[in-house]
Amino acid sequence: MSRVPGWLGRVGAGISKVGERLEERRAEDDESDVEAGRMSSDESAQDHVPAPPAYAPAVAPRPEPVAAVPWGLRVAAEAGWRLLVLAGTVWVLMKIISSVQLVVFAFVAALLITALLQPTVARLRRRGVPRGLATALTAILGFVIMGLVGWFVVWQVQENIDNLSDQVQDGIDELRKWLLNSPFHVTDNQINDIAKSLREAIGANTDSITSAGLEGVTVIVEAMTGILLTMFSTLFLLYDGRRIWEWTLKLVPAQARPGIAGAGPRAWRTLTAYVRGTVIVALIDAIFIGLGIFFLGVPMAVPLAVFIFLFAFIPLVGAVVSGALAVVVALVTQGVFAAVMVLVVVLAVQQIEGHILQPFILGRAVRVHPLAVVLSVAAGGMVSGIGGAVVAVPLVAVTNTVVVYLRAWSREASIRQAPAPRGATAVDVAPVDPHSSPSGD
């Protein structure tokens, strides 16, 4: 049987397959042509959209949303959320500080005492006294003096309390007679009504007074704890203050470490100048006002002078409170004339203090605007009471010194990093010296 038909069959099958492939390619080409026609028809339809009439207003393209927001509003928003973050951070820090308030106040008191005693330690070290012995002698002497002052005040109050109560009763009677004969037209019934109101107020607050007396044990325990913490902190700061500062610098990021390292000693000098100046001014106030009270015959002149010395550490408010206390004691014990003379003495000494002593003693080392003093004392008192009012002004003074120095240091660093202009000399690009003054003046 011949093989030709089989060969022809295979050839026919191959031709059939080639034909099928050609048909598939033709179909694909037709589909692509149809799609291209649709796209061209769409483009032609778009191209043949009639133009708007000439009287139609021009429509500007819409800007990006970021570009549509005014620049001032964007700046306010950027500053706003950063201020919110900063306020939240401060709030958290205040919560933490309030929870350990006793420890914080003890350490701050230790810093203030160290600023007062550290020059004595340095002076002893320069004379060859070992560091441990110099620290021990200075700390013991300082704590003994403060303890003797406290004991003296308590002793004077206890010795004069009986005599003072009799003099207060006599003074009240004299004040009553003076009010009856004064030009204010005060009647006896009005005085009796005031006395009755005072008795009722005291009777209504008996429970509060009793509870405050019961809480006295807790207050004493907290006070003793704070005193012990202050003493130990002062000893370690006097003995090892430099190492503590060097360890604290390790917690600062490396880029900011040089600036903080330069600001720290200047802040410490500001704090030292503030504490020493305040002690000198307070001592002068106490001596002169105490002498005036003594020569006017006001009882408890020495305890009142000590109170004036202690209250002088609260700027503005302390002077007013201590002066008012002296005037009230003079009023109820010696009469109106003595009270007026005490007021004159207090005002005269405070005027000399404000215009001569503080500018001369504190100088330029601690320069804080009076408005900043008032606001800082008010804020410190609202946040933490008397302790906050005492700490507020030195905190503001130290912060001012640190900010001024860091601003000068960053300006100097930027000048050093910037390329010198062509043709400029070393004098033209000399950086500002931040070491010239701690206050930056």
Side-chain angles (χ1 to χ4, degrees):
M1 193 172 179
S2 176
R3 297 181 179 177
V4 175
W7 176 79
L8 290 175
R10 287 192 297 270
V11 172
I15 293 173
S16 301
K17 291 180 179 180
V18 172
E20 292 175 357
R21 292 178 181 177
L22 291 175
E23 290 294 331
E24 291 176 357
R25 290 183 179 179
R26 188 180 295 110
E28 292 176 358
D29 294 336
D30 293 336
E31 291 178 357
S32 63
D33 292 336
V34 171
E35 291 179 358
R38 290 177 180 176
M39 293 177 63
S40 62
S41 62
D42 293 337
E43 291 177 356
S44 62
Q46 293 178 359
D47 294 336
H48 290 84
V49 172
Y55 58 83
V59 179
R62 292 185 177 181
E64 293 293 331
V66 177
V69 179
W71 181 83
L73 185 59
R74 280 188 287 173
V75 172
E78 292 285 338
W81 72 262
R82 286 177 171 83
L83 288 175
L84 288 176
V85 172
L86 182 60
T89 304
V90 172
W91 183 81
V92 172
L93 288 176
M94 294 301 298
K95 285 293 183 180
I96 295 174
I97 291 174
S98 63
S99 62
V100 290
Q101 189 173 9
L102 179 63
V103 178
V104 173
F105 276 136
F107 183 74
V108 172
L111 280 176
L112 297 176
I113 297 174
T114 304
L116 180 63
L117 300 180
Q118 193 271 336
T120 305
V121 176
R123 192 175 297 111
L124 292 175
R125 289 291 309 280
R126 286 194 298 268
R127 294 186 177 183
V129 181
R131 182 174 60 181
L133 182 59
T135 301
L137 291 176
T138 305
I140 291 173
L141 182 62
F143 289 131
V144 166
I145 291 175
M146 288 185 284
L148 288 176
V149 170
W151 170 80
F152 182 77
V153 172
V154 174
W155 174 60
Q156 284 292 314
V157 171
Q158 290 179 351
E159 287 292 326
N160 294 278
I161 190 66
D162 296 333
N163 186 24
L164 181 64
S165 61
D166 297 336
Q167 291 183 353
V168 168
Q169 186 62 42
D170 296 338
I172 291 174
D173 294 337
E174 293 181 2
L175 182 62
R176 179 191 183 101
K177 294 177 182 179
W178 181 81
L179 288 175
L180 290 174
N181 299 324
S182 67
F184 298 107
H185 304 291
V186 180
T187 63
D188 196 4
N189 292 330
Q190 291 176 341
I191 296 176
N192 292 331
D193 291 339
I194 294 173
K196 182 179 178 181
S197 300
L198 291 175
R199 286 194 298 268
E200 291 177 354
I202 295 174
N205 295 322
T206 302
D207 296 336
S208 301
I209 297 173
T210 305
S211 62
L214 294 176
E215 292 176 357
V217 178
T218 304
V219 173
I220 293 175
V221 172
E222 291 182 354
M224 294 301 297
T225 304
I227 292 173
L228 291 176
L229 286 174
T230 303
M231 294 175 63
F232 279 110
S233 301
T234 303
L235 286 172
F236 284 113
L237 288 173
L238 286 173
Y239 180 77
D240 221 6
R242 182 176 295 275
R243 293 183 182 178
I244 294 174
W245 170 244
E246 292 175 354
W247 177 84
T248 306
L249 284 178
K250 296 179 182 178
L251 304 177
V252 180
Q255 295 180 350
R257 195 171 299 167
I260 300 298
R266 287 158 181 80
W268 181 252
R269 284 199 293 269
T270 299
L271 182 62
T272 303
Y274 173 82
V275 174
R276 295 178 67 183
T278 304
V279 169
I280 295 173
V281 172
L283 187 61
I284 294 174
D285 286 352
I287 291 174
F288 284 97
I289 295 178
L291 288 175
I293 294 174
F294 176 77
F295 285 117
L296 288 172
V298 179
M300 297 179 61
V302 176
L304 286 175
V306 175
F307 279 121
I308 291 170
F309 173 79
L310 296 177
F311 276 95
F313 286 90
I314 306 176
L316 300 179
V317 179
V320 174
V321 173
S322 60
L325 179 62
V327 172
V328 169
V329 173
L331 177 64
V332 299
T333 56
Q334 300 296 320
V336 178
F337 177 76
V340 172
M341 295 305 297
V342 170
L343 179 61
V344 171
V345 171
V346 170
L347 292 177
V349 173
Q350 289 180 357
Q351 290 298 316
I352 295 174
E353 169 203 338
H355 294 87
I356 299 176
L357 295 179
Q358 286 191 355
F360 179 75
I361 296 175
L362 295 179
R364 299 174 62 187
V366 183
R367 178 171 291 182
V368 181
H369 196 275
L371 179 60
V373 173
V374 174
L375 295 179
S376 60
V377 170
M382 292 175 62
V383 172
S384 300
I386 297 178
V390 173
V391 176
V393 176
L395 179 62
V396 171
V398 169
T399 303
N400 178 57
T401 300
V402 172
V403 170
V404 170
Y405 174 81
L406 290 179
R407 187 185 299 122
W409 179 82
S410 86
R411 184 169 61 248
E412 179 183 0
S414 63
I415 291 175
R416 287 178 178 176
Q417 293 176 1
R422 185 174 300 175
T425 62
V427 178
D428 297 331
V429 296
V432 178
D433 184 13
H435 308 284
S436 57
S437 173
S439 61
D441 297 329

